[in-house]
């Protein structure tokens, strides 16, 4: 058993989320316990319950943080000084790059099927999708059909999910990803 942190050391939500992320990635959702996360942090499991009422809430905090990271990457592209066509291409590539460089997180964010966490993860995924849709509308054309944007999103998701587990990182399929992004842009025309 690891030594526990003295009560004078305050455990932050961010520390808990980061430790939990590592465990969810390494073990999967089902095998992670609050006690295991607490043990990794060197504190009592009660200290975790001060911030999170259960493992589901902790998992959601991890997933939400990953969505925030993806959304921030997309926002940075939108505010860049590049021309709109390049920004659009960069957004599509960014999505695929994120998914393939963070495969476990991507699976948790978009592909996990678990009745306990579905509604929470679905809420964050929907919010992220609407930010994606808004970005495409801003860069492409306000008159772009929502069904075309949804199809573009599904095409990106299909590319990532097809390669998850078969490649270790984005650079292994970079050339194909760039061609796929150009193909998607044509479909948005």
């Amino acid at each position: 058993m690891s030594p526990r942190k003295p009560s004078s050391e305050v455990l932050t939500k961010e520390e808990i989320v980061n430790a939990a992320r590592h465990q969810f990635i390494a073990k999967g959702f089902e095998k992670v316990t609050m006690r295991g996360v607490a043990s990794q942090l060197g504190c009592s499991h009660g200290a975790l319950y001060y911030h999170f009422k259960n493992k589901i809430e902790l998992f959601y905090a991890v997933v939400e943080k990953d969505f925030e990271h993806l959304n921030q990457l997309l926002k940075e592209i939108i505010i860049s000084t590049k021309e709109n066509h390049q920004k659009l291409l960069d957004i599509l590539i960014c999505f695929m790059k994120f998914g393939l460089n963070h495969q476990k997180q991507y699976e948790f964010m978009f592909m996990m099927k678990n009745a306990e966490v579905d509604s929470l993860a679905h809420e964050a995924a929907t919010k992220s999708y609407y930010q994606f849709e808004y970005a495409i509308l801003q860069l492409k054309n306000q008159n772009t059909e929502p069904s075309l944007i949804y199809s573009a999103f599904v095409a990106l998701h299909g590319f990532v999910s097809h390669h998850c587990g078969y490649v270790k990182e984005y650079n292994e399929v970079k050339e194909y990803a760039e061609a796929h992004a150009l193909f998607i842009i044509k479909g948005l025309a």
Side-chain angles (χ1 to χ4, degrees):
M1 182 169 252
S2 61
R4 293 188 177 170
K5 289 184 177 187
S7 59
S8 61
E9 289 186 35
V10 177
L11 191 62
T12 67
K13 274 184 140 178
E14 188 172 338
E15 288 175 307
I16 297 168
V17 168
N18 289 336
R21 176 181 292 104
H22 292 294
Q23 287 208 12
F24 285 125
I25 290 169
K27 299 178 179 181
F29 173 78
E30 300 297 331
K31 293 184 180 175
V32 172
T33 65
M34 296 292 269
R35 286 184 188 275
V37 174
S39 176
Q40 180 181 339
L41 289 166
C43 65
S44 72
H45 67 282
L48 302 184
Y49 289 106
Y50 177 77
H51 296 286
F52 302 98
K53 66 180 177 181
N54 55 35
K55 179 175 86 167
I56 294 165
E57 191 174 278
L58 176 56
F59 179 78
Y60 180 69
V62 169
V63 170
E64 192 171 46
K65 197 80 162 165
D66 292 334
F67 275 114
E68 286 173 12
H69 179 214
L70 174 60
N71 293 339
Q72 183 59 39
L73 292 172
L74 299 177
K75 284 178 189 175
E76 288 170 11
I77 292 168
I78 292 169
I79 63 171
S80 73
T81 58
K82 296 177 182 177
E83 61 158 287
N84 281 0
H85 179 78
Q86 186 61 51
K87 287 182 187 182
L88 182 59
L89 182 63
D90 288 351
I91 282 176
L92 301 178
I93 289 171
C94 178
F95 186 89
M96 291 183 282
K97 191 178 217 177
F98 176 88
L100 293 174
N101 286 343
H102 307 281
Q103 292 181 32
K104 280 295 189 184
Q105 290 98 312
Y106 186 87
E107 289 176 22
F108 292 147
M109 293 163 69
F110 292 104
M111 298 165 44
M112 186 168 161
K113 302 290 184 225
N114 181 300
E116 292 179 298
V117 296
D118 270 354
S119 65
L120 295 174
H122 181 73
E123 179 183 318
T126 300
K127 183 177 173 184
S128 184
Y129 170 75
Y130 284 128
Q131 288 187 349
F132 173 83
E133 181 181 56
Y134 178 76
I136 301 300
L137 286 171
Q138 293 301 304
L139 297 174
K140 189 67 181 148
N141 180 340
Q142 289 290 340
N143 297 323
T144 303
E145 294 266 337
S147 62
L148 291 178
I149 297 171
Y150 181 74
S151 294
F153 182 81
V154 170
L156 289 172
H157 174 66
F159 186 90
V160 173
S161 60
H162 175 75
H163 290 287
C164 269
Y166 295 104
V167 299
K168 290 185 180 183
E169 63 178 22
Y170 169 80
N171 284 335
E172 292 179 48
V173 292
K174 179 180 178 181
E175 182 180 327
Y176 299 114
E178 289 171 356
H180 191 62
L182 291 170
F183 174 77
I184 290 170
I185 289 171
K186 286 180 186 174
L188 288 170

